[in-house]
Amino acid sequence: MKRIILAALIAGIISTSCLLFASALNPEAQNFYKSAETAFVGKDLNTAETNLVEALKLEPDNAVYRYILGQVQFMKENFLEAKNNLEIVSRSRPSPDKGDDYNTKLKNYKKKIKDLQEKFNAAGAAKFDIYEKN
């Protein structure tokens, strides 16, 4: 009897885990993301941005989608929106529910944002030094 209960309990845990990981990424959001990728490759930044915004409506905590949106906005010279999205990504935390691929991408994107911030700070300091000398 104990074995049957234990087996049922383990089966329940496994099926719950599978559901959690299967539902971690919204399939409709993924479709918008894939459409955004296609548009981006075709250099259609407006369509890419629209699809990424739609993906984020379905999955607002997806930092990978938000990072790519920030990049697209930067390329479109929407600097304030790009900065806001990249700051959200820089504050994002890894999510075990979203899987290793998501977390690896998030870690890499956060490093890229940090490197970019350091370059901006160095460039700003250099320009301020010139200003002070004049």
Side-chain angles (χ1 to χ4, degrees):
M1 183 70 172
K2 288 181 182 179
R3 288 182 184 174
I4 293 172
I5 294 172
L6 183 60
L9 182 61
I10 291 171
I13 291 170
I14 290 172
S15 65
T16 302
S17 296
C18 290
L19 286 175
L20 281 175
F21 287 108
S23 66
L25 297 173
N26 183 309
E28 191 176 353
Q30 287 179 327
N31 288 336
F32 279 117
Y33 179 73
K34 288 177 185 174
S35 295
E37 282 183 313
T38 301
F40 183 80
V41 169
K43 300 186 193 279
D44 183 356
L45 297 179
N46 291 328
T47 301
E49 182 178 31
T50 299
N51 281 303
L52 288 163
V53 167
E54 291 302 316
L56 283 164
K57 285 180 184 175
L58 298 169
E59 222 177 298
D61 65 334
N62 191 313
V64 171
Y65 296 169
R66 193 165 298 280
Y67 176 82
I68 302 301
L69 176 60
Q71 294 298 315
V72 168
Q73 290 168 331
F74 185 84
M75 294 172 80
K76 289 180 63 179
E77 297 184 4
N78 294 336
F79 300 121
L80 186 57
E81 291 175 29
K83 178 182 179 279
N84 290 337
N85 279 305
L86 295 176
E87 284 179 348
I88 292 170
V89 173
S90 70
R91 293 188 307 266
S92 296
R93 302 272 186 230
S95 171
D97 293 344
K98 293 192 184 293
D100 290 338
D101 184 51
Y102 172 89
N103 292 321
T104 299
K105 285 180 180 178
L106 176 60
K107 181 180 176 183
N108 290 335
Y109 294 158
K110 288 176 79 161
K111 182 179 179 342
K112 287 180 181 183
I113 291 168
K114 183 179 177 186
D115 292 346
L116 184 60
Q117 288 171 332
E118 289 172 0
K119 287 178 186 176
F120 276 124
N121 290 340
K127 288 187 180 196
F128 188 72
D129 287 345
I130 293 170
Y131 172 78
E132 283 184 318
K133 290 178 184 176
N134 291 329

